[in-house]
Amino acid sequence: MKSVKIGICGLGTVGSGTLNLLQRNAQLINPRANCEIAVTQVGARRDNPNCDTSAVEVARDIFDVAKNPDIDIVVELIGGTTVARDLVMTALDNGKHVVTANKALIAEHGMDIFAHAEKCNLIVAYEAAVAGGIPIIKGLREGLAGNRINWMAGIINGTTNFILSEMDSKGREFSDVLSEAQEKGYAEADPTFDVEGIDAAHKLVIMASLAFAIPLDSSKVFTDGITKLDPQDVANARELGYVVKHLGIARQTESGVELRVHPTLVPKNCLIAGVDDVLNAVMVNADAVGTTLFYGPGAGAAPTASSVVADIIDVARVMNNDPQSWVPALGVPTSAVTARDILDIQEIETSFYMRFSALDQPGVLSTVTGIMAGAGISIEAINQKEQPATEKYVDVIILTNVTHEKSLDAAVEQIEQLETVRGQVSFIRVEHLDQ
């Protein structure tokens, strides 16, 4: 049986998990790959007690792995975008295929990396870069290859999903749940990357590049985090039959492609509404298959290692045949990828949940609805919350029908200027995800 030699760079959570999985399931993996997959070298500054490297050569300089003439596949698991990019390029220059779990690297430098890989007739595989152990990349590239993808909507960050699940089920404050998430290891000491939606934006643009054959550019994604989400709005959504989820949404329209990450109201009976805690899920709607749901653990040593090893097996299979049979990373040769119109958030059409505080007196609501009518916004439902008799202001909740975001912004600006309205208007986008 032919041997394919693997070099793993990085022995952190995912690196150690990958080494353990390859060692533990070798008798299963090798027949599936039709070759012997052997980890012969690891690049890491320090050892990890969670894995056994006694039978593996350990290099303290990761670039030694990329330049090792005996290595066939370099597995990049160091994270970051600077050294990681140099490592991947060095590996390609030295004739190595690459497997990575690095979503930031792919989202920010993928176009250069894939172009270089194509020039070198080599593979860069990245299943583990999106949604951990969920095979969404292979699902889009292979399982749904015969479909026209209409839209995708995903819970693709476990930290934000855990926080919102706690806020919804227990009425907790954002800061309180964030502290617990940090204690449990779900959130970093600096959680900005997760709670502001940057991590989800990276993952969304990678999926969209496959679904719609568009260039990788995370700066085109409208991104809104969950830090300013009011628990009152989460509770109101529940009363109205909705759940608030932090979604990454990509939709192909006649005008262009929508790419957006933000808190979203979804109906409780929607498939994705029941995905709680740190789990991930991606809904994909396509013309032939209809709507599918990819669901499971989006992070962790073993789930992410599952995706890394799946890519290693795929690359090993191709090495035994013709590397050119591998579908390039964007679904079409990189030389054929052209820019598509990415819609500005102002051009997005969706429904909205609105909440504002208004004087409890005749004529106020008619003024507000008149402003919205003037902006061309149709109202689906309106609800005035009960307040104590001594309170002059009451909370008003409005659900709109589908409208342009620029129309809503124009109406909100006028409503906030009314003397009968106190403070700012809160609004959250609503997605029914049924068409």
Side-chain angles (χ1 to χ4, degrees), residues 356-361 384-396 420-422:
F356 57 91
S357 183
L359 276 174
D360 188 11
Q361 64 183 36
Q384 181 174 306
K385 305 291 286 186
E386 291 187 9
Q387 297 285 90
T390 55
E391 178 59 57
K392 294 182 179 180
Y393 287 85
V394 296
D395 276 354
V396 177
T420 52
V421 171
R422 180 174 63 183

Side-chain angles (χ1 to χ4, degrees), residues 277-401:
D277 205 60
V278 293
L279 293 170
N280 281 197
V282 181
M283 290 180 70
V284 182
N285 179 272
D287 65 340
V289 74
T291 301
T292 56
L293 178 70
F294 296 78
Y295 165 84
T304 308
S306 171
S307 290
V308 172
V309 172
D311 273 345
I312 292 172
I313 294 171
D314 271 353
V315 175
R317 287 169 175 163
V318 174
M319 287 176 62
N320 291 326
N321 295 292
D322 177 10
Q324 288 189 344
S325 68
W326 178 267
V327 180
L330 290 178
V332 293
T334 53
S335 58
V337 175
T338 56
R340 296 272 307 280
D341 287 334
I342 306 299
L343 296 179
D344 185 87
I345 193 64
Q346 292 287 301
E347 301 302 320
I348 298 298
E349 288 186 289
T350 189
S351 305
F352 290 89
Y353 157 96
M354 301 171 60
R355 177 178 59 84
F356 57 91
S357 183
L359 276 174
D360 188 11
Q361 64 183 36
V364 174
L365 287 184
S366 63
T367 301
V368 170
T369 55
I371 289 172
M372 297 182 70
I377 301 172
S378 171
I379 296 174
E380 178 183 330
I382 188 165
N383 180 26
Q384 181 174 306
K385 305 291 286 186
E386 291 187 9
Q387 297 285 90
T390 55
E391 178 59 57
K392 294 182 179 180
Y393 287 85
V394 296
D395 276 354
V396 177
I397 297 167
I398 295 176
L399 288 176
T400 78
N401 288 311

Side-chain angles (χ1 to χ4, degrees), residues 8 62 165 266 277 351 360 415 426:
I8 298 175
I62 56 174
S165 296
V266 295
D277 205 60
S351 305
D360 188 11
I415 292 170
S426 298

Side-chain angles (χ1 to χ4, degrees), residues 400-421:
T400 78
N401 288 311
V402 174
T403 188
H404 276 102
E405 179 133 347
K406 60 185 176 183
S407 300
L408 184 92
D409 285 349
V412 165
E413 184 178 357
Q414 293 183 62
I415 292 170
E416 289 179 341
Q417 292 175 356
L418 294 174
E419 294 183 359
T420 52
V421 171

